[in-house]
Amino acid sequence: MKMSKQEYGALVQSMAKPSPMGRDLVGAFVVGGAICALGQLLMQWYQSLGLDRDMASTAGTITLIFLSVLLTDLDLYCHLAKIAGAGTLVPVTGFANSIASPAVEFKSEGFVTAGGMACKMFTIAGPVLVWGISASVVYGILLAVLQLL
């Protein structure tokens, strides 16, 4: 079956379900906001336990990452993402999910494909990590040099 690009485009449009924009916006806003509010609550809770603001912020972020990975492993994060859409992608939880999802996918393979799992884990997050780590190394070197002057 040979089709032109226009015919294929028309076929795709005829079969695609329209996206309920209003519901998607509300879902993203509510869930994304709830994730951020949970992060704020965690930070305040850690501060009430005696951590300073920076350490409480770090502990809250680590807790959100843990919860995201846990929900990914329990196959619940994908259900949340269906409701929230981009609301689950923007906070740090989306980044944790992007790394954890391939690991969960490969866990049934065991340690035989551990190398493949490690490669897949960083398919999405790899560029972010490479540039983030590289920038922090360059910044650290510049800061050290400037302090010596």
Side-chain angles (χ1 to χ4, degrees), residues 3-141:
M3 285 188 191
S4 69
K5 288 183 182 182
Q6 291 81 11
E7 291 172 327
Y8 180 74
L11 178 65
V12 168
Q13 288 290 18
S14 70
M15 297 184 137
K17 289 193 270 183
S19 178
M21 183 72 79
R23 189 193 65 150
D24 289 350
L25 289 171
V26 170
F29 179 78
V30 169
V31 175
I35 291 170
C36 294
L38 176 62
Q40 185 66 36
L41 288 171
L42 286 167
M43 189 176 94
Q44 289 175 339
W45 180 64
Y46 284 122
Q47 281 181 311
S48 75
L49 295 177
L51 295 178
D52 65 26
R53 184 174 173 83
D54 288 341
M55 290 303 291
S57 177
T58 300
T61 302
I62 290 169
T63 303
L64 285 174
I65 290 169
F66 170 77
L67 291 172
S68 175
V69 172
L70 179 66
L71 290 175
T72 300
D73 189 44
L74 297 173
D75 199 29
L76 297 173
Y77 198 89
C78 62
H79 298 296
L80 182 64
K82 285 179 184 174
I83 297 167
T88 57
L89 297 177
V90 177
V92 70
T93 54
F95 185 70
N97 173 261
S98 73
I99 292 179
S101 291
V104 170
E105 180 182 325
F106 273 87
K107 76 179 177 180
S108 63
E109 302 293 325
F111 290 111
V112 175
T113 60
M117 178 187 68
C119 291
K120 280 298 254 185
M121 283 175 63
F122 296 104
T123 300
I124 296 172
V128 175
L129 292 172
V130 168
W131 288 109
I133 292 168
S134 300
S136 66
V137 168
V138 169
Y139 178 75
I141 291 170

